[in-house]
Amino acid sequence: MTGGGLLIAGTTSDAGKSVVTAGICRWLVRQGVKVAPFKAQNMSLNSFVTREGAEIGRAQAMQAQACRVEPAALMNPVLLKPGGEQSSQVVLLGRPVGELSARGYHGGRQQKLLGTVLECLAELRGTYDAVICEGAGSPAEINLRRTDIVNMGIARRARLPVLVVGDIDRGGVFASFFGTVALLSPEDQELVAGFLVNKFRGDDSLLEPGLDMLYGLTGRRTYGVLPFRHGLGIDEEDGLRVSLRGTVRESHVAPPVGEDVLRVAVCAIPLMSNFTDVDALAAEPGVVVRFVDRPEELADADLVVVPGTRGTVRALEWLRERGLAEAIGRRAAEGRPVLGICGGFQILGEHIEDEVESRRGHVEGLGVLPVRVRFAREKTLTRPTGEALGQHVEGYEIHHGVASVTGGEPFLDGCRAGQTWGTHWHGSLESDGFRRAFLREVAAAAGRRFVPAPGTSFAALREEQLDRLGDLIEQHADTDALWRLIESGAPQGLPFIPPGAPA
C-alpha cells in the first residue's frame, strides 16, 4: 500500500517551505503517523552526512529529526552544491557525480534524474504512512517547467496534492498566490489544492476579506495563517544569502552566567558552507555571534571563526583582498583565539595543492597552522567521533582536501597551535561538554570573565524549536483538512485560472 503524500511549494524562495514542511512532519509524528520528509532536488551549501555516509541537504536532515527518523539519502536524492555563478557539483544519492553548468543541468541531465527521484519517493511512500515533500523556489518558474523534477514535475508524476506557502511579511502575498496558480498549465493547476499564509503579524480577522476574495478568484481555500515567530529559521538552506550584519538567530536566549559576554566574529567568506556550525555558539547564553566582512570588525572579537566553504582558494583570495587575512595572521601571532572549520581549517594552513576544486595548483595558505592540504578527487564523507579537551565529541566531515599535520597539538583530527585551532569536523560544537570546555579556553585566552551556562543542551533546544513548529501547524492550520489532502489528494473539480502556462 502506498502512503499518503503532500508537496509544499512556495510563491518564492525563502517563503518558509522548509520550516512549514518540518512543522507538518512534527505535527504528524505527534499524532502517531509514521512520516518522512522528501526533497527531490536541493540547491544548498549546507549539507549533512547520514550514518551510511551519504551527503544530503541539511534542511532534510532537520526535517528527518522533526519526523524522529534517521536521515537517509532517499530523502534528498539530488543535491546541487554551487561552486560559483555558473556551475554546481551534482550529488546523486549522497555521492558526487560531477560538475555541471546550469545550462548543462537544465539542458538534459535534470530530466534524466526524474526516474531516480520517483523511485526514491515511491520507496519512501511504500515504507511510511505519509511523505511530506518540499518544493524548490517557485512552481511557476515557467522557463524551467519543461525539465522540472522538484515542483509540479514530480507532483504530476506522483499525483501529489500541492499546498502553496506565501510569506506575507514580504508583502504582495495575494498577488503571489493568484499569479502562481495562473501561470500553471491546466494539468498542474488540478493539483494545487490551496494556500498557507506564513509570517502574519496582527489580527487574523483583518486578513479574512482578502482570503475570501482569493477563494472567490481561484476556487482554492487557505489551509492556515501561521503567525510570525522569532527564531524559527533552523538549518537554513542557502549560505549565499546570509546577512553579514545580523546575528545568526533572532531567538531570545538567557542572560550571561558570568560577568562578561563572549563576542564571536564569523568571516562571511564566499561560497560559505555549513554556517550552521556556529548555531550552537549562538544558542549559548552570553555568546554574541555575528558575520563580518571587514578587518576592523575583528578588533573586538574574542573568537574569530573561518567557516567551511565550497571554494577554499577563492575564499583565501577574498580574505587577502579584504585585509582579513592579515588581521587573522596578526591575531594568531598575538595568541588571540581563531577557529578554522573544514575549508577554514585548510585556509589557515601553510599551503594548498588544488587540482580538483579551483585547479590552481600550489597556493600559499595563511601559514598559522602547521598543515599542508592536498585536494583529492574522492570526497570524504564520514561521521567521526572522538575526544577533545577531555570531552566526547561527535561531528561529520564533507571535504575533498586531505590535511597532513606536521606539528602542533592534535585536535579533532586537525591540530592546535597556541590559540589557533583547526578541524575538518562540522557539528563538533553541538557536543555540549566539548562546546563548554572550548568556550572556557577561549574566554581565558581573551581575558573575559565569561562562564558557559552549565545546563545548555543544543539537542534539547533544537527539539524545542521543532515542537514550536509543530505547535504552529496544530494551532493555526486546519489539520483535519491537511490530513484529508495527505490521505486523499487534491479536491476534484478545482477551477482553471487563466491564462495558464505559455505553450
Side-chain angles (χ1 to χ4, degrees), residues 298 301-304 306 324-340 348-349 366-370 416-421 445:
L298 305 188
D302 302 306
L303 170 67
V304 169
V306 187
L324 284 159
E326 184 181 350
I328 291 168
R330 207 162 43 241
R331 281 185 67 92
E334 294 168 356
R336 302 176 66 197
V338 177
L339 170 65
L348 296 178
L366 298 190
V368 296
L369 283 177
R416 171 187 183 179
Q419 292 300 324
T420 301
W421 318 63

Side-chain angles (χ1 to χ4, degrees), residues 152-363:
M152 301 312 300
I154 193 168
R156 283 266 294 278
R157 294 294 292 269
R159 303 308 299 171
L160 293 170
V162 178
L163 203 60
V164 180
V165 177
D167 180 355
I168 197 169
D169 200 46
R170 294 181 172 199
V173 75
F174 293 114
S176 298
F177 282 147
F178 182 87
T180 295
V181 179
L183 279 177
L184 300 178
S185 69
E187 295 81 6
D188 286 352
Q189 287 192 25
E190 287 176 3
L191 295 172
V192 178
F195 313 107
L196 191 71
V197 177
N198 191 28
K199 295 186 182 179
F200 180 68
R201 306 173 191 248
D203 184 348
D204 284 13
S205 65
L206 298 176
L207 201 59
E208 288 173 5
L211 299 179
D212 291 341
M213 291 176 66
L214 183 66
Y215 178 77
L217 288 166
T218 67
R220 290 159 174 86
R221 57 169 298 187
T222 298
Y223 284 73
V225 177
L226 307 185
F228 185 94
R229 291 287 186 268
H230 285 283
L232 292 180
I234 53 180
D235 287 11
E236 305 288 357
E237 286 193 351
D238 197 347
L240 300 177
R241 289 193 295 270
V242 68
S243 166
L244 303 187
R245 296 287 173 260
T247 55
V248 179
R249 295 289 176 255
E250 298 174 316
S251 54
H252 173 75
V253 294
V257 174
E259 296 179 47
D260 289 342
V261 298
L262 210 60
R263 294 174 175 84
V264 179
V266 184
C267 296
I269 55 181
L271 297 173
M272 182 167 43
S273 62
N274 285 62
F275 65 88
T276 48
D277 282 332
V278 298
D279 283 357
L281 295 179
E284 279 284 345
V287 176
V288 179
V289 179
R290 66 183 188 274
F291 291 95
V292 303
D293 61 350
R294 297 193 299 253
E296 58 268 27
E297 294 176 298
L298 305 188
D300 67 342
D302 302 306
L303 170 67
V304 169
V305 178
V306 187
T309 174
R310 173 80 167 88
T312 300
V313 171
R314 177 178 168 187
L316 179 56
E317 292 173 342
W318 181 88
L319 289 168
R320 287 186 167 125
E321 290 166 2
R322 294 287 181 122
L324 284 159
E326 184 181 350
I328 291 168
R330 207 162 43 241
R331 281 185 67 92
E334 294 168 356
R336 302 176 66 197
V338 177
L339 170 65
I341 302 174
C342 199
F345 167 42
Q346 298 164 7
I347 284 168
L348 296 178
E350 294 169 351
H351 70 253
I352 298 166
E353 292 289 340
D354 181 13
E355 299 293 348
V356 176
E357 193 176 75
S358 69
R359 299 177 185 174
R360 295 283 295 277
H362 182 92
V363 178

Side-chain angles (χ1 to χ4, degrees), residues 55 79-82 87-91 96 98-99 310 379 400:
E55 185 179 9
L79 173 64
L80 305 178
K81 302 192 73 175
S87 68
S88 293
Q89 183 180 66
V90 181
V91 179
E99 295 272 340
R310 173 80 167 88
K379 182 185 278 192
H400 284 278

